[in-house]
Amino acid sequence: MTFVFKPLAVAAMIGLALTSVAQAQSARQAARQQAAAAANAPLAGQTVKIAWIDPLSGLMAPVGSNQVRSFQFFAEKFSGPNPYNPAGVKWEVVPFDNKLSPAESLTALQSAIDQGIRYITQGNGSSVAGALIEAVARHNARNPGKEVIFLNHSAVDPDFTNSKCNYWHFRFDADTSMKMEALTSFMKDQPDIKKVYLLNQNYSHGHQVAKYAKELLARKRPDIEIVGEDLHPLAQVRDFAPYIAKIKASGADTVITGNWGSDLALLVKAALEGGYNGKFYTYYAGVTGTPTAMGSQAEGRVYQVSYNHYNMGGDMQKWQDEFKKRFNADFYTGSVIHIFRSLSEAMAKTKSTDPVQVAKALEGLKFTSYNGEVEMRRTDHQLQQPLYLTRWQKADAKFPYRVENTEMTFALVREFPAYIASTPTSCTMQRPS
């Protein structure tokens, strides 16, 4: 019998063999890393519960639903010994629907405490966060040995890390002043911005957005005129057409808004329907519902400042793609990752899940994350991190992620290192004796 060797076939066989070898080596390396992580995980086998207290009903329910999925997604992904969980604990997220109400949130907090949960997280609404900060502080003072830590994922009122700072509160989002510092650092170089309208929700965050916008623009671009300012009820307005009419009448070429959820989606929708052609500088345009409302009509006219964005690449891109595949939704609350990472680093360092020990270790904690080096500033418990300014445009080869299954994305315009976005604090931290 005569064998005829075909070069292409032989090359293909060699290629397959090499691929198999590489895959086997990769699998063995992953197994070694997993084994090393398990060997060095001091708390493997222990379960840490986090009470999630945010809206799952009402107009802001879509945002809450996305975020609780985000917490549960990463609790599952990071549980057990792995590079993102050096403590090796198992994470469990227990959701409580607070209906965006401070009173409901306090009831949820007590229920969580009664269940023995020592860590809570919340972020939608600084009015809620303020009530929780005070309640946690009172509980801890009255119940030594049963302390609770408040992990703030998105409530950005600067007072929480200034005049109202509290030892048991840690914020993982950038606060309103930090984001406005970055936003106005970009806006000052835009000669087309001449007249600005401030439209915000009527609670502490909205008040702070307006306050810092006026202060920082006056310092950086004193020629810019504030031609109007409005505050509206949080999560109650269903038709923003009257506000758009006022904005158009003012002659504003730019709107600055800290609105989020339905309050931003409906605002943008009214602007497009009402023929307003100005630009929007926002904090939360990437949050559930708003990208769909913007569509292609808002291309090039909506900006967002945030600590992460949709086209970061690396691990973040993998996680976003996996999240979208599982839930047909976008992952955008990157502070979730920082919460799990920080807790695990602190628990691994102290070899304890006790909030008293963990709180001490969280202060000053530094690690490298998806957006560079981050630090939980000891002075006020405000995470220091880079910020990004992105612009709404069509997805392309450079910025390929399609938000809410549209043809659009947020493209990176400018990155602000942590030292630029950082703002000073007046906090005088009272630490437990």
Side-chain angles (χ1 to χ4, degrees):
M1 182 178 292
T2 303
F3 292 93
V4 179
F5 291 94
K6 298 182 179 180
L8 290 177
V10 172
M13 292 172 64
I14 293 172
L16 286 171
L18 291 174
T19 299
S20 298
V21 170
Q23 289 174 340
Q25 289 175 338
S26 177
R28 285 195 294 272
Q29 182 179 4
R32 284 194 296 269
Q33 289 174 343
Q34 190 74 14
N40 296 319
L43 303 173
Q46 294 193 36
T47 296
V48 175
K49 295 183 179 182
I50 301 175
W52 179 95
I53 303 173
D54 264 316
L56 287 173
S57 56
L59 284 176
M60 297 305 187
V63 178
S65 296
N66 179 286
Q67 290 174 333
V68 76
R69 284 176 178 171
S70 299
F71 269 95
Q72 291 170 334
F73 175 82
F74 282 100
E76 176 187 325
K77 181 165 288 294
F78 290 169
S79 276
N82 64 73
Y84 304 101
N85 183 9
V89 298
K90 177 184 177 183
W91 303 109
E92 183 180 336
V93 177
V94 183
F96 293 86
D97 178 12
N98 70 356
K99 304 176 179 63
L100 204 62
S101 159
E104 293 277 355
S105 300
L106 296 182
T107 300
L109 171 63
Q110 189 57 56
S111 179
I113 291 172
D114 290 344
Q115 294 177 40
I117 300 175
R118 309 285 294 280
Y119 296 91
I120 69 161
T121 189
Q122 180 272 339
N124 293 317
S126 290
S127 56
V128 171
L132 287 173
I133 289 171
E134 292 180 5
V136 166
R138 283 195 304 270
H139 167 81
N140 290 355
R142 296 170 182 172
N143 299 275
K146 296 181 179 179
E147 289 85 357
V148 171
I149 289 179
F150 177 17
L151 309 158
N152 177 352
H153 67 78
S154 300
V156 293
D157 185 341
D159 283 347
F160 298 157
T161 47
N162 284 278
S163 62
K164 298 179 182 178
C165 67
N166 184 272
Y167 179 76
W168 303 104
H169 165 263
F170 295 84
R171 176 158 48 205
F172 293 84
D173 199 343
D175 77 24
T176 302
S177 66
M178 296 168 70
K179 290 180 179 178
M180 190 59 72
E181 187 69 50
L183 205 60
T184 52
S185 292
F186 175 81
M187 294 177 71
K188 72 180 177 61
D189 297 326
Q190 309 307 308
D192 60 323
I193 300 179
K194 294 178 170 53
K195 296 183 177 183
V196 169
Y197 201 102
L198 305 174
L199 182 64
N200 289 285
Q201 296 151 319
N202 190 12
Y203 76 113
S204 57
H205 165 59
H207 295 181
Q208 298 281 16
V209 170
K211 171 180 179 288
Y212 284 103
K214 287 183 284 190
E215 289 180 3
L216 294 173
L217 285 176
R219 173 160 59 85
K220 299 176 183 181
R221 276 284 303 275
D223 60 302
I224 290 179
E225 182 183 359
I226 305 297
V227 295
E229 181 177 354
D230 265 316
L231 294 167
H232 64 82
L234 172 65
Q236 295 180 38
V237 178
R238 295 183 180 273
D239 181 10
F240 279 87
Y243 293 100
I244 294 300
K246 290 178 69 175
I247 293 170
K248 289 177 68 177
S250 74
D253 52 62
T254 301
V255 175
I256 295 178
T257 180
N259 280 21
W260 56 277
S262 64
D263 284 340
L264 184 55
L266 292 173
L267 172 62
V268 171
K269 180 175 180 287
L272 296 175
E273 292 175 350
Y276 177 67
N277 296 317
K279 293 180 179 177
F280 285 83
Y281 284 81
T282 78
Y283 283 43
Y284 302 115
V287 172
T288 305
T290 302
T292 298
M294 293 190 300
S296 60
Q297 283 182 278
E299 182 174 10
R301 294 198 288 120
V302 179
Y303 294 78
Q304 173 179 258
V305 61
S306 57
Y307 54 84
N308 63 286
H309 61 88
Y310 283 119
N311 291 280
M312 299 187 78
D315 283 344
M316 179 60 89
Q317 207 69 56
K318 296 175 188 174
W319 294 328
Q320 286 176 328
D321 291 343
E322 187 179 342
F323 188 87
K324 173 167 272 190
K325 184 177 181 180
R326 186 184 299 189
F327 301 113
N328 191 30
D330 302 313
F331 170 71
Y332 48 77
T333 310
S335 56
V336 174
I337 297 167
H338 286 155
I339 285 174
F340 285 120
R341 287 286 310 276
S342 297
L343 281 183
S344 185
E345 294 283 347
M347 289 173 182
K349 181 178 180 181
T350 60
K351 296 181 174 57
S352 173
T353 62
D354 177 18
V356 174
Q357 300 303 316
V358 171
K360 290 178 183 177
L362 284 174
E363 290 196 301
L365 181 69
K366 294 181 183 179
F367 60 90
T368 301
S369 186
Y370 60 81
N371 58 350
E373 184 174 81
V374 300
E375 177 184 358
M376 180 56 72
R377 189 163 62 184
R378 186 177 189 276
T379 314
D380 59 349
H381 297 184
Q382 170 62 60
L383 193 72
Q384 304 296 297
Q385 59 188 323
L387 295 179
Y388 305 91
L389 187 73
T390 54
R391 181 176 54 227
W392 187 242
Q393 68 169 50
K394 280 190 169 60
D396 57 24
K398 186 176 181 181
F399 303 106
Y401 188 89
R402 298 185 178 193
V403 185
E404 292 193 341
N405 300 317
T406 66
E407 298 297 312
M408 310 295 289
T409 194
F410 283 95
L412 181 63
V413 175
R414 186 174 297 178
E415 178 178 349
F416 301 92
Y419 75 90
I420 292 180
S422 180
T423 53
T425 178
S426 61
C427 172
T428 303
M429 187 67 73
Q430 300 296 314
R431 292 180 170 82
S433 55

